[in-house]
Amino acid sequence: MRNIPTGSLLLICFCSFVFPFLLLQIMDYNSKTDQWTLYSSVDSRNRRQMEIIFIGGMHRSGTTLLRTMLDAHADIRCGPETVVILNVLGVREAMAKDPMIVSHISKTKLYPEVTDNAVAQFILEIIIRHAPPATHYCNKDPLQMLFSKYLHFLFPNAKFVLMIRDGRAMAHSIISRKLELYTYDIESYRGTLSTWNKNIERMHKQCIKLGEKICQLVYYEQLVLQPVSTTKNLFKFLEIPWSIAVLHHEKYTNQSDFSKAEASTDQVSKPLYLDGLTQWFGNIPEDVEKDMLKIAPMLNVLGYNPKDRTPNYGEPDEFVKEKVIVIPYLIFFLVTISVTFKSRFSD
């Protein structure tokens, strides 16, 4: 069987995924009339001015939790993870790195302006049409933050939220659950942490370069321990009025709100989940702990102490104390009393 050159494969991928959507450059579909109509390039550029919210970060860092919290807001719609957007961004990046493809499509005047606009329109179609309409749209895909610089070029008014979580907790979550995600080695803490470090470094650098008015870091630990102040700060950044509904996301979710690509469904359908903060304690191999600073130097950069094996991430706020700590114990106390009374009366 004859091998197909890498450049040809990328060109085939480009034509298969992106070329059909070049029509979005000049056409718009009206679902009510079931007709395609022409629109000008000015309209196309205006669509790219939309203030989309992009949520990303490494896997198991709280991206699904945050997007369900935003989905609870009446004016925001994120919807399930689409996956396809990340694939197109990957093809676009690979294409740009291949001189043969760049040379070929440049001769046809499809690169870079037409190609970039086609990619932008494709992304918009997926975001806008894959779930009900809303005042504000957002898209959550963990690894899309690897392309935040390019996404900002496509959508200059977009806001980016980079979820940050202790890499040790993330590695333990992936390995203990045996989640075959991305290129993680689920048999190795050292390998998983190395992958985390490489990619979170790239994401973090792009976020910092975009600036605090465009990209905000949200720490998972702060989100679950101090959700009130953390979400209020986030909504101030997004320039959208805060709603208390975001603190009660579990009331607004059901199984149909998730895709199979989202591995955190069982947790985000419940109230804020605190157990994940400390489950990794004592589970990382000794040799990995000793080399932690070398394996994952980004822990230090992000404010975590690589030498602290049982870090204190902070105190829960009053909302968390009441909802996650006090109420369960109160329910347990009432159930215990009820069972005691029943047993006495039955005797």
Side-chain angles (χ1 to χ4, degrees):
M1 182 177 175
R2 185 170 59 89
N3 293 327
I4 301 175
T6 302
S8 298
L9 284 174
L10 287 172
L11 187 59
I12 292 171
C13 289
F14 169 71
C15 293
S16 300
F17 285 102
V18 181
F19 188 75
F21 295 92
L22 288 173
L23 286 175
L24 292 173
Q25 280 275 109
I26 57 173
M27 303 290 285
D28 189 29
Y29 177 70
N30 188 323
S31 58
K32 293 181 180 180
T33 62
D34 194 29
Q35 292 181 339
W36 289 89
T37 56
L38 287 169
Y39 61 72
S40 67
S41 59
V42 175
D43 294 325
S44 173
R45 286 194 295 270
N46 285 341
R47 281 163 57 95
R48 289 175 59 175
Q49 301 305 310
M50 291 179 64
E51 299 176 355
I52 301 170
I53 304 164
F54 289 99
I55 300 171
M58 293 304 293
H59 296 98
R60 312 300 296 172
S61 63
T63 56
T64 303
L65 171 62
L66 182 60
R67 83 92 173 152
T68 54
M69 294 176 82
L70 293 187
D71 267 331
H73 193 288
D75 295 331
I76 301 176
R77 196 267 288 146
C78 300
E81 194 171 310
T82 65
V83 180
V84 66
I85 290 176
L86 184 64
N87 291 336
V88 169
L89 289 171
V91 170
R92 173 64 180 84
E93 181 180 67
M95 180 182 67
K97 292 179 179 180
D98 192 308
M100 187 191 77
I101 292 182
V102 171
S103 174
H104 179 75
I105 61 177
S106 293
K107 293 175 183 177
T108 62
K109 298 183 179 180
L110 291 176
Y111 184 87
E113 185 176 350
V114 174
T115 300
D116 287 331
N117 199 48
V119 172
Q121 300 305 323
F122 174 88
I123 291 173
L124 281 172
E125 289 296 298
I126 297 297
I127 292 175
I128 293 172
R129 297 179 190 262
H130 91 287
T135 304
H136 302 282
Y137 293 96
C138 86
N139 184 69
K140 169 256 173 178
D141 193 312
L143 299 183
Q144 69 184 354
M145 290 301 287
L146 290 170
F147 307 96
S148 57
K149 182 181 178 181
Y150 178 63
L151 284 168
H152 174 61
F153 165 74
L154 295 181
F155 308 106
N157 293 324
K159 293 291 183 75
F160 298 84
V161 182
L162 175 58
M163 287 298 300
I164 302 293
R165 185 183 184 185
D166 192 322
R168 296 165 293 186
M170 183 231 54
H172 177 69
S173 180
I174 288 175
I175 292 173
S176 63
R177 289 168 171 263
K178 298 188 181 301
L179 299 175
E180 296 183 358
L181 301 168
Y182 192 46
T183 58
Y184 302 112
D185 180 356
I186 59 173
E187 301 297 329
S188 168
Y189 275 92
R190 185 179 294 268
T192 299
L193 280 163
S194 295
T195 300
W196 171 84
N197 190 82
K198 179 182 69 174
N199 287 286
I200 198 64
E201 181 180 18
R202 178 177 166 183
M203 294 180 186
H204 183 257
K205 283 183 177 179
Q206 290 186 58
C207 186
I208 297 302
K209 187 167 289 188
L210 288 176
E212 59 184 14
K213 292 184 179 180
I214 298 172
C215 186
Q216 183 170 98
L217 305 179
V218 173
Y219 282 75
Y220 171 80
E221 295 83 7
Q222 294 174 7
L223 183 63
V224 297
L225 286 171
Q226 299 103 26
V228 178
S229 59
T230 302
T231 55
K232 283 186 175 180
N233 287 335
L234 174 61
F235 274 81
K236 184 178 180 181
F237 162 73
L238 297 175
E239 299 181 285
I240 299 174
W242 181 81
S243 169
I244 195 170
V246 302
L247 301 178
H248 303 280
H249 64 280
E250 74 280 1
K251 296 181 180 179
Y252 301 88
T253 59
N254 56 63
Q255 288 299 110
S256 63
D257 294 327
F258 301 94
S259 74
K260 292 181 180 179
E262 295 174 303
S264 306
T265 304
D266 59 328
Q267 294 170 0
V268 300
S269 58
K270 303 173 184 178
L272 290 171
Y273 181 77
L274 297 182
D275 293 349
L277 295 175
T278 57
Q279 284 180 339
W280 66 272
F281 289 4
N283 284 299
I284 297 180
E286 183 66 24
D287 65 305
V288 177
E289 288 279 16
K290 289 181 178 179
D291 294 340
M292 191 62 69
L293 192 56
K294 294 180 181 178
I295 299 169
M298 281 301 294
L299 285 171
N300 220 13
V301 174
L302 296 172
Y304 300 103
N305 184 355
K307 297 181 180 179
D308 190 347
R309 302 185 182 189
T310 57
N312 181 351
Y313 295 117
E315 295 298 317
D317 63 15
E318 292 304 316
F319 172 80
V320 173
K321 288 180 181 178
E322 179 181 342
K323 185 165 185 169
V324 182
I325 301 175
V326 176
I327 292 180
Y329 279 107
L330 180 59
I331 293 174
F332 174 77
F333 177 70
L334 292 174
V335 170
T336 303
I337 291 177
S338 176
V339 171
T340 303
F341 271 100
K342 284 183 180 180
S343 62
R344 286 184 178 180
F345 279 115
S346 62
D347 292 338

